Amino acid sequence: SGVLKLNFGVRHFLASVNAKLMPVLFNEAGETLKALPAAAKTDDVEKAKASAAIWSEFNKDLKPAAKLQLERLESAMVLSRRWSGADFRNHLVLHPLLQQVVRGLVWGVFSSKNKLSSTFSINALGESVDVNGKAVQVGDTAMVGIVHPVMLTGPKNAVEPWQQRFAQAKQLQPFAQLVRKVYRQFDDADANHFGLEQSTVPSKALKGLKTLGWTTEIGDAGWIWSFNRRFSSGKASISVEPGVHINEYEYDGQKEQKMSVEIPAGLNEIEFSELIRELQTLRK
């Protein structure tokens, strides 16, 4: 059920997680508590002590698990991971830890890996419903995935109705989905990769590219002038001047770089949007 009962004997408390996989604690009346109270005179001391130990261990174990699972699911959205309807229900909707995360996302049924047929969310009863709250049938063989918001943008603007529904329900999202900044190739009016071309970025910002999946081409004496990243449909690259040194990105006081971006024409809409979004963070 996704709820952990902490037994104090005469009374008990309920522990769970929210959509961001942060621990939450309730009393028997359903009121949120900031901390597990100390045992009272009317409580069973041994049960209260055991429950306090369980709560402490739960918090300790949750933190690394939460980080891993949230990263995993955000990656699933970006990489267009798909589940069968049966696996989605059994391994996500009914999962005691992940069910709250699932409720905080907009999901889709896909006719092919990158073709969205319909969208739905999971309500508190574990039911699939559309943006108007009407039931959506998700068959065992259906292709299900987390909808990337770039698929909801465009003339029909399907993002706003979902934003309104989640806001009305006060439903948290585990990571940026409905408020995620998206970039579409045909919106690049100045054809400069949304201002990235010949933009100035801090030298130190380039150091974080490795953790995002970029590789470097190291030249003479350890100097780096270009970074590359492979996608399913090609390789993107950025060039920087005057360049950075492998051992010191702000070599000899050089704090800024002029950046040039090369993006393959065949990137799908999600890869393009995520690439631009990622590179925009370098400018901050």
Side-chain angles (χ1 to χ4, degrees):
S1 65
V3 175
L4 178 67
K5 186 175 180 179
L6 301 172
N7 188 6
F8 273 44
V10 176
R11 56 181 181 156
H12 68 268
F13 302 92
L14 301 174
S16 187
V17 295
N18 62 17
K20 291 181 177 290
L21 288 184
M22 297 176 66
V24 289
L25 189 65
F26 305 94
N27 61 18
E28 294 171 81
E31 299 168 329
T32 304
L33 303 177
K34 291 183 178 180
L36 189 67
K41 291 181 178 180
T42 54
D43 292 327
D44 183 313
V45 176
E46 291 303 316
K47 288 183 178 179
K49 184 178 179 180
S51 290
I54 291 171
W55 173 240
S56 177
E57 190 71 15
F58 173 71
N59 279 272
K60 179 183 175 182
D61 291 345
L62 179 62
K63 191 172 182 179
K67 183 177 185 297
L68 177 65
Q69 294 302 330
L70 295 183
E71 288 176 351
R72 168 196 169 210
L73 289 171
E74 186 169 11
S75 178
M77 178 184 74
V78 171
L79 299 176
S80 301
R81 165 76 190 275
R82 304 291 178 246
W83 291 266
S84 69
D87 284 345
F88 168 67
R89 182 172 58 256
N90 294 329
H91 301 310
L92 292 170
V93 177
L94 299 179
H95 192 286
L97 182 65
L98 298 180
Q99 57 184 252
Q100 294 293 345
V101 181
V102 171
R103 293 172 194 168
L105 294 166
V106 177
W107 297 82
V109 174
F110 295 79
S111 57
S112 65
K113 185 171 183 179
N114 294 310
K115 189 170 179 58
L116 180 63
S117 296
S118 62
T119 59
F120 67 94
S121 65
I122 300 297
N123 64 19
L125 299 176
E127 302 166 332
S128 304
V129 294
D130 67 14
V131 72
N132 297 311
K134 295 181 180 179
V136 174
Q137 296 300 318
V138 180
D140 287 351
T141 59
M143 193 182 300
V144 177
I146 304 169
V147 179
H148 191 284
V150 76
M151 292 182 162
L152 301 176
T153 58
K156 294 183 178 180
N157 193 2
V159 173
E160 286 187 5
W162 275 114
Q163 288 175 333
Q164 292 169 4
R165 179 170 177 81
F166 274 47
Q168 290 169 358
K170 296 182 180 180
Q171 175 64 62
L172 290 173
Q173 288 214 287
F175 50 80
Q177 183 193 28
L178 295 175
V179 297
R180 198 180 196 86
K181 180 68 175 176
V182 299
Y183 299 88
R184 300 179 299 175
Q185 296 187 49
F186 47 79
D187 288 335
D188 186 15
D190 297 325
N192 63 358
H193 301 132
F194 294 91
L196 288 171
E197 191 62 36
Q198 294 302 303
S199 62
T200 300
V201 300
S203 296
K204 277 190 173 180
L206 300 171
K207 199 169 186 178
L209 287 173
K210 184 176 180 181
T211 61
L212 297 174
W214 292 78
T215 58
T216 58
E217 291 185 8
I218 303 173
D220 295 339
W223 281 93
I224 301 170
W225 291 281
S226 64
F227 299 79
N228 304 300
R229 183 170 178 184
R230 292 198 173 275
F231 292 89
S232 63
S233 48
K235 182 179 76 171
S237 63
I238 58 176
S239 301
V240 294
E241 292 183 359
V244 293
H245 195 270
I246 186 173
N247 293 326
E248 180 53 66
Y249 274 54
E250 288 191 356
Y251 189 85
D252 199 24
Q254 182 59 51
K255 294 183 179 296
E256 293 184 336
Q257 302 287 324
K258 187 74 74 173
M259 181 169 66
S260 180
V261 183
E262 184 177 338
I263 300 177
L267 283 189
N268 66 47
E269 61 179 359
I270 295 177
E271 290 175 335
F272 179 86
S273 182
E274 288 297 313
L275 172 61
I276 297 296
R277 178 178 180 268
E278 192 169 276
L279 294 180
Q280 291 288 356
T281 64
L282 300 179
R283 303 171 68 187
K284 297 179 180 179

